[in-house]
Structures are given as C-alpha cells and as structure tokens.
Amino acid sequence: MQMTLKDYKLLALLLVVALLAVAYFDNQNASGMGVLTQARDAASNRLVWLDNYQAAIKESKATGKPIFLEFRCAP
Amino acid sequence: MEKFVLARIVAMNGIDIGLFDYDRHNALYFFILNADEQIYLRYGGRDAENATTYLNLQSLELALRAGLDRDELYKQGKLAKQPRPAPFYPEQITPLKRNEIDRNHCVECHMIGDYLAQEAELAGKLDRPRMLYPSPDLKTIGINLDVPKGLVIEKAEGAAAKAGMQTGDKITEFGGANVLTFGDLQYRYGKTDRNAHRIELTIDRAGERKPLSVELPAEWWVTDTSYRFWSVEPMLYFTTRPLTAEQKRGLNLPVRGFASEVVEIVPPAGPSSVGSDPSRMLEQMQILKPGDIITGVEGVQESGLTQNVERYIKLTEKAGDSITLDLLHDGKPRQIKQNTYRLFYRKRMLSRNK
C-alpha cells in the first residue's frame, strides 16, 4: 500500500500528539523525575570513555582529574 | 569513576610501552596517572588459573580511592616526581613493525610481548626465565591475598610464613618501593632478578611498619604458561615425572639432577615443524616409551636453573632443535636423538622474520 500526502499529515499529527502526551505525563510525575527527565539524566550520567591517550592527557590537564587508563587486548 | 578522566586503549599503535610497561598477556590492565604522566598505581594482573583471580569490584574501588589520594598528595607537592622511563614504541620492534604495523594491522597488547620475545630469540638474547615467565605467582612463596581487601594477607604459607608474615598483614612496600595494589606488587615481583635469593617486603601490622625478608625457594619464578597462547618455547613429544631423591640415589644419579621418568608420549599439539616428516616423528615416538628414565640432556645431568627435565629443555634449547637424551631404556643406558617442535603459528611468524 502506498502512503498518500494525507496519510503523512495524519502520521505527523499523531507523532506530535504522542510527544505532547509524554511531555505532559513527564511533567506530572509526582517525584518531578518523569520518564524523559530520567532518561536524560541517565544519558548525562553515562560514563564517557575516551579512546585516545593524548585526548585523555588534554582532558586531564583541563579538568585537573587523574586518568583511569584501561588497556584492553580485545575490543 | 566520575572523578577520573576515563580512557580505553584497544590498539597499542603509538603508545609509549616504555612508560606503560606490563605483562602483555593480561587481556585487561589499568593505570591511574596524571596529566604529567606520573603513574600512581596499576590495577590488574592475573595468575595461571584465571584472568580474574585478582580483579573484583572491591579491590578496584580500593585502587580508585588510592589513586585519588595519590593525586591529592601530588597536587600538594607531597609526592616525589618519578623519572620517566625511556620512551619506547611498538614501531621500534622491527618484526612487529614489518608484520603488523606496516600492514595497517591493529597492534594488540599480547603482540608486544610476543614480538619482543621473538626479536630477542632471533638475536640470541632471549632471557628465558624472565621473558617466558614474566609474572611469577606469589602463591608459590606462600603469599595468599584476601583479594577484595587489596594487599591484605588472607593466609601466609611456606617462605612467606617462614619470614614471619601473618594473616591480616598488609604489604605496603616491595624492595623499598610503595605498592598499593596487586598490580603494583606483581609488576615489581616480576622484575626481580631470577637469580635472586631473597625479596624484601614491608608490611603494616596493626598500624606498625615491619620489614620482612622472604627467602625465595628454587624455581620461584616458574608458572604454568599454557594460557600464554603464543610461546617461543620448544614443544616436546613426551611428558615426565621427576624421580624422587631416593629413586635417584638408587640409580646412582645426582640427587639435585633432573632425572625423570617418561610418563606419556604425546603427539604434536596442532600442526608442527615435524609434520613434514611424519615417519621420523613416529620413529622417535617408538624409541622413547613410558617408563624410560631420562638421566641427562646433551650430557648434562643437573643444572642450577631447574630440576625439571622438560623445563631444562625449554630453557636451554631452541624450538625445532634436535636434542640428545641419555636414557635408561629397559634398564640399560642408551642415547637417543629427539626433535623438539614449534607450534605452527610461531614457526610461520619466525620464518617470516628471517
């Protein structure tokens, strides 16, 4: 079945409604930590591993943090 | 972890392996250092039984905390700056460069150790006790760690117990250098001269600093190397069991010699260098039989290196060498020639380097 322009418009409308609904329920979450907020925080808390030694040195100089350097034989 | 810059290196190309020196047959190895490339500590290391014997979350947490403490001391100027070792890069290992780097291959950690050993062997400079057995097992001298607690002793036996080590002691120094983790301790132990007779440790016992001098037993550096899947050592067609001192006396053989009984005749492990001449291999296997007593190798009956005949051959002969064995065959003295072989992949790599 081929989708018509009307079908695309309907699909776009449904997507907007779905996003608004998620944002609404997120905002209404009793703890103030809705699904979206949690997902965003989880993403920001995810540890970032550099894969370049010189970049790690540069980052360490910039932040003053020591480096935890892992050598892994198999990727 | 968020207090650290995290970096994961999976290819050794361009890494200063002079600075990041460790036993390359660890699949995982960690360093904590600062932007001045001052290494505070190592975390990692293994034994022959398991790659993770000394790795767990509790000891990792201890290491991370120790790393942060060291960093604080360094920032306060209370930690002396260590001289940087001479830079050394994988690109300087000729066969590694030719076979891997120039072909745009990723240089994996284990390749460093393998190619260094190959290069040394080809140059006739292979220090076998050190290079084939780079990480002696501390349990051999009776040091059994309570792993989640880092360097705290769970049980002291043998040489360590004889030196006065006790359960609950915490090792703090090796040869006068601070050790914070098992990785630190194993690294320094691995650097010990294989002819050494003692190691000097400092322990903390209930807050009191105490030196301990541990007498090293014979062949303290020997470990099972089977997990090191590449090796330059010669492979043999037989396994043996050393004779007891009483059995040696009964046969008028040196008590400290490596006289051993042949236990089993074994076919090559995988394709071998003798594969091209199976009839010769068969012939050799038929001459030597279980129950034969090997009394000497190339006329030598004892050596300060080892009392184990198989190890003596691995330490003194090149893979592929033909060796003369002195035997008691059906109770009668006899001399035979035996070939050794090299595992196929090693043979291929070495032949590429010639």
Side-chain angles (χ1 to χ4, degrees):
Chain A
M1 190 184 83
Q2 238 181 1
M3 286 179 72
T4 62
L5 185 63
K6 195 178 166 187
D7 293 328
Y8 279 116
K9 281 182 178 173
L10 183 62
L11 187 63
L13 183 66
L14 284 172
L15 273 172
V16 169
V17 170
L19 284 171
L20 285 173
V22 168
Y24 173 78
F25 285 114
D26 180 49
N27 206 32
Q28 293 301 307
N29 190 295
S31 66
M33 284 278 287
V35 178
L36 289 183
T37 318
Q38 284 178 31
R40 187 197 59 214
D41 285 359
S44 65
N45 284 339
R46 241 177 47 204
L47 298 170
V48 177
W49 287 81
L50 302 173
D51 61 1
N52 180 295
Y53 177 65
Q54 290 308 329
I57 293 287
K58 200 172 161 190
E59 180 74 3
S60 176
K61 274 182 184 153
T63 60
K65 292 179 181 178
I67 302 165
F68 183 65
L69 179 65
E70 173 185 326
F71 288 101
R72 181 179 286 219
C73 208
Chain B
M1 295 294 279
E2 69 276 6
K3 292 179 178 172
F4 293 87
V5 172
L6 305 175
R8 177 176 293 135
I9 306 295
V10 296
M12 302 300 281
N13 309 53
I15 295 291
D16 182 353
I17 54 176
L19 179 63
F20 298 109
D21 180 27
Y22 64 97
D23 180 349
R24 311 293 174 184
H25 284 100
N26 282 282
L28 276 178
Y29 207 87
F30 305 87
F31 290 84
I32 294 180
L33 67 152
N34 65 18
D36 293 339
E37 299 187 299
Q38 291 285 303
I39 293 173
Y40 296 139
L41 60 86
R42 298 150 180 280
Y43 183 79
R46 59 168 294 166
D47 62 9
E49 283 168 37
N50 201 305
T52 57
T53 299
Y54 292 99
L55 307 180
N56 61 38
L57 281 176
Q58 294 98 317
S59 62
L60 173 62
E61 189 177 343
L62 287 176
L64 293 171
R65 289 187 192 286
L68 291 173
D69 289 346
R70 289 269 136 178
D71 192 50
E72 199 51 46
L73 289 174
Y74 185 81
K75 284 172 179 159
Q76 291 170 8
K78 293 177 182 169
L79 201 63
K81 203 166 181 172
Q82 300 298 313
R84 189 190 165 111
F88 183 53
Y89 291 90
E91 290 75 4
Q92 290 172 253
I93 307 170
T94 309
L96 175 63
K97 183 172 186 307
R98 187 169 52 228
N99 292 338
E100 312 293 344
I101 297 169
D102 289 350
R103 295 176 186 191
N104 293 322
H105 294 169
C106 160
V107 177
E108 294 170 20
C109 320
H110 64 88
M111 290 180 179
I112 309 284
D114 295 333
Y115 277 104
L116 278 172
Q118 269 189 50
E119 193 174 51
E121 187 183 34
L122 289 169
K125 293 178 180 170
L126 183 65
D127 178 354
R128 287 170 189 255
R130 194 175 59 81
M131 295 185 82
L132 302 188
Y133 305 91
S135 297
D137 193 337
L138 286 156
K139 292 195 284 291
T140 304
I141 55 170
I143 297 180
N144 300 283
L145 296 173
D146 187 349
V147 177
K149 293 181 181 169
L151 292 177
V152 173
I153 303 299
E154 184 178 73
K155 190 178 178 189
E157 301 172 294
K162 200 174 161 192
M165 190 176 280
Q166 297 175 7
T167 298
D169 287 349
K170 182 182 174 186
I171 301 172
T172 57
E173 290 177 25
F174 182 98
N178 281 314
V179 286
L180 300 169
T181 61
F182 171 75
D184 287 347
L185 179 62
Q186 189 183 46
Y187 175 73
R188 296 203 175 270
Y189 189 44
K191 294 290 177 194
T192 304
D193 185 336
R194 297 300 184 259
N195 296 313
H197 297 295
R198 308 193 79 85
I199 53 167
E200 307 302 327
L201 299 174
T202 304
I203 52 120
D204 179 311
R205 182 177 296 161
E208 194 185 333
R209 193 171 174 272
K210 195 173 165 57
L212 288 184
S213 182
V214 182
E215 188 177 354
L216 296 169
E219 300 178 51
W220 57 272
W221 40 268
V222 171
T223 53
D224 178 0
T225 57
S226 50
Y227 73 91
R228 299 176 187 276
F229 52 89
W230 279 4
S231 172
V232 296
E233 65 190 12
M235 305 295 286
L236 305 173
Y237 293 107
F238 56 87
T239 61
T240 58
R241 177 173 45 232
L243 296 189
T244 62
E246 198 176 318
Q247 287 172 316
K248 290 177 193 171
R249 277 191 209 102
L251 293 167
N252 278 330
L253 295 167
V255 173
R256 295 187 63 80
F258 39 64
S260 304
E261 179 183 352
V262 176
V263 174
E264 195 183 2
I265 308 299
V266 288
S272 78
S273 59
V274 183
S276 56
D277 188 0
S279 60
R280 189 166 174 208
M281 184 185 84
L282 200 62
E283 187 189 27
Q284 288 180 63
M285 289 171 70
Q286 283 169 345
I287 294 172
L288 197 66
K289 63 179 187 184
D292 284 353
I293 308 291
I294 299 176
T295 58
V297 179
E298 302 291 349
V300 177
Q301 291 194 324
E302 62 179 293
S303 156
L305 275 176
T306 175
Q307 288 186 39
N308 179 304
V309 73
E310 291 174 56
R311 198 169 301 126
Y312 177 76
I313 295 169
K314 288 171 187 282
L315 289 171
T316 56
E317 304 292 336
K318 266 189 182 172
D321 280 355
S322 177
I323 50 174
T324 304
L325 298 181
D326 297 313
L327 294 181
L328 287 175
H329 185 75
D330 294 330
K332 292 174 189 160
R334 181 168 181 179
Q335 240 183 19
I336 64 161
K337 284 271 183 193
Q338 270 275 314
N339 272 2
T340 62
Y341 69 96
R342 186 187 299 280
L343 287 179
F344 177 74
Y345 40 79
R346 175 62 69 191
K347 178 188 163 218
R348 186 181 54 191
M349 294 187 77
L350 280 174
S351 63
R352 276 207 318 235
N353 294 332
K354 280 178 183 166

